[in-house]
Amino acid sequence: MKPTRPGVLVGLLVVFAIITWALLKPLYSSLPTVPWTAIPTVLLLAVGEIYSGWMTKARIERRGDTKPVEPLAVARLAALAKASAYGGAIFGGIFAGFTLYTAELLEQGVPRRDFLITGGSFVVCVVLVCAALYLEYCCKVPKDSSEEDR
């Protein structure tokens, strides 16, 4: 598995933001309001990935009293990190498109609420992408370790 390239994530975010913004032009008035629940949910996922990365890195480097980590567990965490990075970029793009569209309508009550919620959701999606990239980084085996240290 190759490391996630941040340029691809930025490209996904921009493409999905443009598509969402374009689709909202004719559809926004018929959509329900945006729920606020994405913000704490994605934030909890990001915190979990940061903690998992921190613990995995400590276990790979055998710091303190940590037990060795199973290679399959590290592979699963790396897959989770990769999926979270791409998912966060895609949903971040969707929320960015909503935010851009509703920024034009801030004088109205419902679009202002949607603007604040989608803006917050966009920010936590960016935090999730950063947490996923950190977790992916933590899953790497150090290059200078010898075979018996693994």
mmCIF file of all heavy atoms in Angstrom, residues 101-118:
data_model
loop_
_atom_site.group_PDB
_atom_site.id
_atom_site.type_symbol
_atom_site.label_atom_id
_atom_site.label_comp_id
_atom_site.label_asym_id
_atom_site.label_seq_id
_atom_site.Cartn_x
_atom_site.Cartn_y
_atom_site.Cartn_z
ATOM 1 N N TYR A 101 -22.230 27.925 -1.273
ATOM 2 C CA TYR A 101 -23.541 28.297 -1.795
ATOM 3 C C TYR A 101 -24.340 29.119 -0.782
ATOM 4 O O TYR A 101 -24.928 30.143 -1.123
ATOM 5 C CB TYR A 101 -24.345 27.063 -2.206
ATOM 6 C CG TYR A 101 -25.685 27.432 -2.770
ATOM 7 C CD1 TYR A 101 -25.808 27.911 -4.068
ATOM 8 C CD2 TYR A 101 -26.827 27.364 -1.983
ATOM 9 C CE1 TYR A 101 -27.035 28.293 -4.576
ATOM 10 C CE2 TYR A 101 -28.061 27.740 -2.484
ATOM 11 C CZ TYR A 101 -28.159 28.201 -3.775
ATOM 12 O OH TYR A 101 -29.374 28.595 -4.278
ATOM 13 N N THR A 102 -24.341 28.684 0.474
ATOM 14 C CA THR A 102 -25.139 29.396 1.476
ATOM 15 C C THR A 102 -24.498 30.710 1.912
ATOM 16 O O THR A 102 -25.177 31.555 2.507
ATOM 17 C CB THR A 102 -25.391 28.508 2.708
ATOM 18 O OG1 THR A 102 -24.141 28.040 3.215
ATOM 19 C CG2 THR A 102 -26.288 27.339 2.358
ATOM 20 N N ALA A 103 -23.227 30.926 1.606
ATOM 21 C CA ALA A 103 -22.580 32.200 1.934
ATOM 22 C C ALA A 103 -23.232 33.358 1.186
ATOM 23 O O ALA A 103 -23.197 34.499 1.650
ATOM 24 C CB ALA A 103 -21.088 32.129 1.610
ATOM 25 N N GLU A 104 -23.835 33.059 0.052
ATOM 26 C CA GLU A 104 -24.508 34.092 -0.737
ATOM 27 C C GLU A 104 -25.876 34.458 -0.157
ATOM 28 O O GLU A 104 -26.459 35.460 -0.545
ATOM 29 C CB GLU A 104 -24.700 33.597 -2.175
ATOM 30 C CG GLU A 104 -23.423 33.192 -2.864
ATOM 31 C CD GLU A 104 -23.657 32.424 -4.157
ATOM 32 O OE1 GLU A 104 -24.831 32.153 -4.499
ATOM 33 O OE2 GLU A 104 -22.668 32.096 -4.809
ATOM 34 N N LEU A 105 -26.396 33.648 0.774
ATOM 35 C CA LEU A 105 -27.757 33.812 1.282
ATOM 36 C C LEU A 105 -27.796 34.063 2.788
ATOM 37 O O LEU A 105 -28.776 33.709 3.457
ATOM 38 C CB LEU A 105 -28.576 32.551 0.960
ATOM 39 C CG LEU A 105 -28.557 32.059 -0.482
ATOM 40 C CD1 LEU A 105 -29.161 30.675 -0.581
ATOM 41 C CD2 LEU A 105 -29.308 33.044 -1.369
ATOM 42 N N LEU A 106 -26.776 34.686 3.340
ATOM 43 C CA LEU A 106 -26.671 34.825 4.792
ATOM 44 C C LEU A 106 -27.742 35.717 5.418
ATOM 45 O O LEU A 106 -27.963 35.654 6.623
ATOM 46 C CB LEU A 106 -25.287 35.347 5.171
ATOM 47 C CG LEU A 106 -24.153 34.350 5.030
ATOM 48 C CD1 LEU A 106 -22.828 34.991 5.373
ATOM 49 C CD2 LEU A 106 -24.397 33.139 5.894
ATOM 50 N N GLU A 107 -28.422 36.528 4.648
ATOM 51 C CA GLU A 107 -29.457 37.398 5.219
ATOM 52 C C GLU A 107 -30.726 36.627 5.569
ATOM 53 O O GLU A 107 -31.572 37.120 6.299
ATOM 54 C CB GLU A 107 -29.790 38.556 4.272
ATOM 55 C CG GLU A 107 -30.437 38.160 2.957
ATOM 56 C CD GLU A 107 -29.439 37.729 1.889
ATOM 57 O OE1 GLU A 107 -28.226 37.865 2.099
ATOM 58 O OE2 GLU A 107 -29.899 37.252 0.837
ATOM 59 N N GLN A 108 -30.856 35.396 5.103
ATOM 60 C CA GLN A 108 -32.015 34.549 5.409
ATOM 61 C C GLN A 108 -31.662 33.620 6.567
ATOM 62 O O GLN A 108 -30.517 33.218 6.734
ATOM 63 C CB GLN A 108 -32.414 33.740 4.179
ATOM 64 C CG GLN A 108 -32.767 34.597 2.981
ATOM 65 C CD GLN A 108 -32.935 33.768 1.725
ATOM 66 O OE1 GLN A 108 -33.113 32.568 1.806
ATOM 67 N NE2 GLN A 108 -32.866 34.412 0.576
ATOM 68 N N GLY A 109 -32.660 33.251 7.359
ATOM 69 C CA GLY A 109 -32.429 32.462 8.575
ATOM 70 C C GLY A 109 -31.938 31.046 8.329
ATOM 71 O O GLY A 109 -30.938 30.612 8.901
ATOM 72 N N VAL A 110 -32.654 30.286 7.501
ATOM 73 C CA VAL A 110 -32.286 28.884 7.283
ATOM 74 C C VAL A 110 -30.936 28.761 6.569
ATOM 75 O O VAL A 110 -30.091 27.968 7.001
ATOM 76 C CB VAL A 110 -33.410 28.145 6.519
ATOM 77 C CG1 VAL A 110 -32.979 26.745 6.136
ATOM 78 C CG2 VAL A 110 -34.681 28.092 7.357
ATOM 79 N N PRO A 111 -30.678 29.515 5.515
ATOM 80 C CA PRO A 111 -29.343 29.408 4.904
ATOM 81 C C PRO A 111 -28.210 29.822 5.844
ATOM 82 O O PRO A 111 -27.125 29.251 5.784
ATOM 83 C CB PRO A 111 -29.419 30.343 3.699
ATOM 84 C CG PRO A 111 -30.858 30.372 3.349
ATOM 85 C CD PRO A 111 -31.572 30.299 4.663
ATOM 86 N N ARG A 112 -28.462 30.778 6.743
ATOM 87 C CA ARG A 112 -27.431 31.175 7.707
ATOM 88 C C ARG A 112 -27.127 30.002 8.644
ATOM 89 O O ARG A 112 -25.966 29.707 8.920
ATOM 90 C CB ARG A 112 -27.881 32.384 8.530
ATOM 91 C CG ARG A 112 -26.794 32.877 9.457
ATOM 92 C CD ARG A 112 -27.199 34.103 10.300
ATOM 93 N NE ARG A 112 -27.949 35.092 9.579
ATOM 94 C CZ ARG A 112 -29.234 35.404 9.825
ATOM 95 N NH1 ARG A 112 -29.891 34.789 10.788
ATOM 96 N NH2 ARG A 112 -29.850 36.322 9.125
ATOM 97 N N ARG A 113 -28.168 29.314 9.102
ATOM 98 C CA ARG A 113 -27.981 28.133 9.952
ATOM 99 C C ARG A 113 -27.223 27.056 9.189
ATOM 100 O O ARG A 113 -26.279 26.451 9.707
ATOM 101 C CB ARG A 113 -29.348 27.607 10.403
ATOM 102 C CG ARG A 113 -29.270 26.372 11.262
ATOM 103 C CD ARG A 113 -30.684 25.863 11.595
ATOM 104 N NE ARG A 113 -30.642 24.667 12.408
ATOM 105 C CZ ARG A 113 -30.440 23.438 11.946
ATOM 106 N NH1 ARG A 113 -30.254 23.237 10.654
ATOM 107 N NH2 ARG A 113 -30.414 22.392 12.758
ATOM 108 N N ASP A 114 -27.618 26.799 7.945
ATOM 109 C CA ASP A 114 -26.922 25.813 7.118
ATOM 110 C C ASP A 114 -25.464 26.200 6.888
ATOM 111 O O ASP A 114 -24.581 25.351 6.867
ATOM 112 C CB ASP A 114 -27.635 25.623 5.781
ATOM 113 C CG ASP A 114 -28.912 24.828 5.905
ATOM 114 O OD1 ASP A 114 -29.149 24.230 6.971
ATOM 115 O OD2 ASP A 114 -29.683 24.801 4.924
ATOM 116 N N PHE A 115 -25.220 27.500 6.720
ATOM 117 C CA PHE A 115 -23.850 27.987 6.520
ATOM 118 C C PHE A 115 -22.978 27.660 7.733
ATOM 119 O O PHE A 115 -21.857 27.166 7.591
ATOM 120 C CB PHE A 115 -23.857 29.501 6.267
ATOM 121 C CG PHE A 115 -22.486 30.119 6.228
ATOM 122 C CD1 PHE A 115 -21.697 30.025 5.089
ATOM 123 C CD2 PHE A 115 -21.973 30.787 7.330
ATOM 124 C CE1 PHE A 115 -20.431 30.588 5.050
ATOM 125 C CE2 PHE A 115 -20.711 31.343 7.306
ATOM 126 C CZ PHE A 115 -19.942 31.251 6.161
ATOM 127 N N LEU A 116 -23.496 27.932 8.916
ATOM 128 C CA LEU A 116 -22.717 27.680 10.130
ATOM 129 C C LEU A 116 -22.481 26.186 10.341
ATOM 130 O O LEU A 116 -21.373 25.764 10.694
ATOM 131 C CB LEU A 116 -23.422 28.288 11.343
ATOM 132 C CG LEU A 116 -23.507 29.811 11.345
ATOM 133 C CD1 LEU A 116 -24.383 30.300 12.494
ATOM 134 C CD2 LEU A 116 -22.133 30.433 11.410
ATOM 135 N N ILE A 117 -23.507 25.391 10.110
ATOM 136 C CA ILE A 117 -23.369 23.948 10.314
ATOM 137 C C ILE A 117 -22.437 23.338 9.266
ATOM 138 O O ILE A 117 -21.555 22.544 9.596
ATOM 139 C CB ILE A 117 -24.751 23.268 10.292
ATOM 140 C CG1 ILE A 117 -25.531 23.673 11.540
ATOM 141 C CG2 ILE A 117 -24.608 21.755 10.216
ATOM 142 C CD1 ILE A 117 -26.969 23.236 11.535
ATOM 143 N N THR A 118 -22.600 23.701 8.007
ATOM 144 C CA THR A 118 -21.734 23.122 6.976
ATOM 145 C C THR A 118 -20.311 23.655 7.076
ATOM 146 O O THR A 118 -19.360 22.934 6.767
ATOM 147 C CB THR A 118 -22.294 23.351 5.560
ATOM 148 O OG1 THR A 118 -22.470 24.748 5.335
ATOM 149 C CG2 THR A 118 -23.607 22.623 5.367
#
